[in-house]
Amino acid sequence: MDVLWLNQSDVKNVLDMKSTIDVVEKAFEQHGLKKVQMPSKLYLYFNKYNGDLRTMPTYLEDMDISGVKIVNVHPDNPFRDLPTVMATVILNSTETGAPISIMDGTYLTDMRTGAGGGVAAKYLARPDSKIIGIIGTGNQARSQLLALSHIFNIEKVKITSKSSKHCDEFEDRMKLVVGGDFIKTDIKDVCDCDILVTTTPVRNPIVKFEWINEGTHINAIGADAKGKQELESEILKNSKVIIDDMEQASHSGEINVPLSNNIISTTDIYGELGDIITCSITGRESRKEITVFDSTGLAIQDISTADLVYRKAVEKGLGNKLKMF
């Protein structure tokens, strides 16, 4: 039995943001229709190394796609010249259970997370949004901005980071693919925008409610494990909060700390993104309301994107075939 091995170069060769947005939106739609099997992420915590390892399986029933992603998050990795997030994806045959492809999931994770933020903003941000504020300048920040550029006419990008060097590098890289002026500024001014994207691993909130204007949409990306929180709880109490998956977000998303501290309850959560896509609930209802998308990253995003990569790679004859038996 042959298994197709696809390295990061192969994945990059076939994966573009527009296609990723399309397939991720479809996956969220299937989630909203309750046509997926997807246990919450399982975590192993490597506390002495400030990192963790996660497994993320899923089966998209109507799309007949199944697989699992194994992914780590180690915030100190850049000091080791390694990515903060590294991942491997295994696609499995739903007929036999056998692996049909093993691929690098690091770039795929960046792309599908950016696509998820783009889909959320499509349904929740004001359609004429032009000013993007981004806190953090890593891979996630880049993919979020890239996805937004496919949906909105961006005129200005405000960025902030711990390092001015990182801001410069972000601008140099992203201004080649995203229109508009780039402004390096402080975190408070970054929050004066139409769409705010937070991509940091902090455990103490860095965004204050008083900085958020009426009508702002926020993609909260950084909180993806227990104890992480980027937004002041008051923001969630005064916003329409949409999560990707209730069970997963409750223990590892932006809402996990306010929930565990009884600052908010599950009744304060408006709904899931898939329910908005399927029109089970309404998205943005006025220009003044503040909306928040709590993204924890779902296995359906990974496996639907991996299936797209696999099909395109087969068409192009990419990758190496490995013997399993």
Side-chain angles (χ1 to χ4, degrees), residues 73-325:
V73 177
H74 281 62
D76 297 332
N77 269 1
F79 299 108
R80 305 182 180 99
D81 293 325
L82 291 171
T84 297
V85 178
M86 294 182 285
T88 303
V89 177
I90 303 172
L91 277 181
N92 296 85
S93 165
T94 56
E95 182 178 0
T96 68
I100 56 177
S101 181
I102 302 172
M103 69 184 70
D104 170 74
T106 305
Y107 180 74
L108 183 151
T109 296
D110 289 339
M111 291 288 281
R112 66 76 152 151
T113 308
V119 172
K122 172 184 173 180
Y123 286 90
L124 296 169
R126 292 174 296 190
D128 58 351
S129 295
K130 297 178 180 179
I131 302 174
I132 312 299
I134 300 183
I135 301 172
T137 52
N139 289 339
Q140 289 297 333
R142 290 194 288 269
S143 68
Q144 290 291 318
L145 181 57
L146 179 60
L148 293 174
S149 73
H150 281 266
I151 300 169
F152 299 93
N153 180 23
I154 298 174
E155 294 184 356
K156 187 181 298 183
V157 181
K158 296 182 176 183
I159 54 176
T160 191
S161 177
K162 287 183 177 180
S163 166
S164 59
K165 177 184 177 183
H166 290 165
C167 285
D168 291 338
E169 291 172 348
F170 182 89
E171 178 182 357
D172 289 344
R173 183 167 179 173
M174 295 308 298
K175 68 182 180 182
L176 299 175
V177 293
V178 178
D181 298 324
F182 283 73
I183 300 173
K184 297 180 285 291
T185 185
D186 59 57
I187 189 168
K188 180 179 178 181
D189 185 51
V190 164
C191 292
D192 182 14
C193 61
D194 298 316
I195 300 173
L196 177 66
V197 181
T198 61
T199 65
T200 70
V202 298
R203 292 179 177 271
N204 292 300
I206 56 175
V207 179
K208 296 183 181 297
F209 174 57
E210 64 190 66
W211 298 342
I212 304 301
N213 300 326
E214 287 185 344
T216 302
H217 171 67
I218 303 173
N219 276 344
I221 308 300
D224 58 358
K226 183 179 179 180
K228 291 185 177 181
Q229 183 183 11
E230 297 183 287
L231 310 180
E232 197 172 59
S233 297
E234 198 69 16
I235 296 174
L236 301 179
K237 290 175 65 176
N238 290 275
S239 303
K240 176 178 281 185
V241 179
I242 296 88
I243 40 80
D244 50 13
D245 179 82
M246 179 60 80
E247 182 181 354
Q248 187 165 290
S250 296
H251 68 67
S252 61
E254 183 63 36
I255 64 173
N256 87 91
V257 175
L259 277 177
S260 63
N261 292 336
N262 296 315
I263 297 172
I264 63 172
S265 69
T266 54
T267 58
D268 295 314
I269 310 305
Y270 181 70
E272 296 179 335
L273 180 58
D275 293 328
I276 293 176
I277 294 173
T278 58
C279 299
S280 298
I281 58 177
T282 305
R284 173 173 288 274
E285 296 179 279
S286 79
R287 290 189 59 81
K288 290 186 176 182
E289 68 180 342
I290 299 170
T291 54
V292 175
F293 174 57
D294 180 359
S295 169
T296 60
L298 303 184
I300 57 169
Q301 296 171 253
D302 296 302
I303 302 309
S304 60
T305 303
D307 177 71
L308 172 68
V309 169
Y310 172 70
R311 289 186 284 106
K312 286 190 172 184
V314 170
E315 289 176 4
K316 288 192 170 187
L318 299 178
N320 294 291
K321 293 182 178 180
L322 307 176
K323 285 291 183 183
M324 192 72 174
F325 307 114

